[in-house]
Amino acid sequence: NRCNRHDALQRARGYLISRLENAGKEVADDEIAWLHTWLNRVLDAQNDWVACRSWAEKCIARGVLWEHPYQRPGHFVPGLKSQPWHCASHFELCWRLESSYESIKAELL
């Protein structure tokens, strides 16, 4: 139902904005990033681009997430160069998975 979706988005928006406005320096950066990511999704669903950019600018100013208010991906790795391919050996997760191939395969089979 369209009305229920609208109401749910409004409630989510209010909750997330309240959490962000009341978040002091004691709130961990990963929680702030999570709140901003979800607020961005809600504002995007509401087609409120001005609010998306405004909140993104606040997030960027805090140094928590993103680098440009027009580019707000749901997953962000600070400092990761924009290029089509990356060397797997530069990422701990990748080389740990690759080095565990045999045990992962054994668990699957």
Side-chain angles (χ1 to χ4, degrees):
N1 186 318
R2 186 170 171 83
C3 207
N4 289 340
R5 183 172 193 272
H6 177 269
D7 292 343
L9 288 170
Q10 278 301 107
R11 285 193 308 275
R13 179 181 183 149
Y15 170 77
L16 294 165
I17 288 174
S18 173
R19 289 283 310 272
L20 285 166
E21 287 177 339
N22 295 310
K25 294 293 182 191
E26 73 282 352
V27 178
D29 284 349
D30 60 342
E31 182 177 354
I32 296 294
W34 183 88
L35 291 166
H36 273 288
T37 300
W38 278 101
L39 178 58
N40 185 68
R41 290 176 181 172
V42 169
L43 296 173
D44 185 55
Q46 292 179 318
N47 297 323
D48 191 344
W49 318 124
V50 173
C52 279
R53 286 188 295 277
S54 174
W55 278 100
E57 288 168 357
K58 293 175 186 178
C59 181
I60 293 165
R62 185 165 173 161
V64 176
L65 188 66
W66 304 320
E67 294 174 352
H68 193 282
Y70 285 95
Q71 297 177 339
R72 304 173 306 275
H75 301 283
F76 183 75
V77 178
L80 184 64
K81 185 177 176 184
S82 177
Q83 60 189 50
W85 304 102
H86 294 273
C87 181
S89 65
H90 294 169
F91 300 93
E92 179 184 357
L93 173 65
C94 293
W95 56 260
R96 289 183 70 185
L97 283 170
E98 287 177 350
S99 67
S100 302
Y101 168 76
E102 290 300 329
S103 61
I104 293 171
K105 181 179 173 183
E107 286 179 24
L108 180 64
L109 303 175

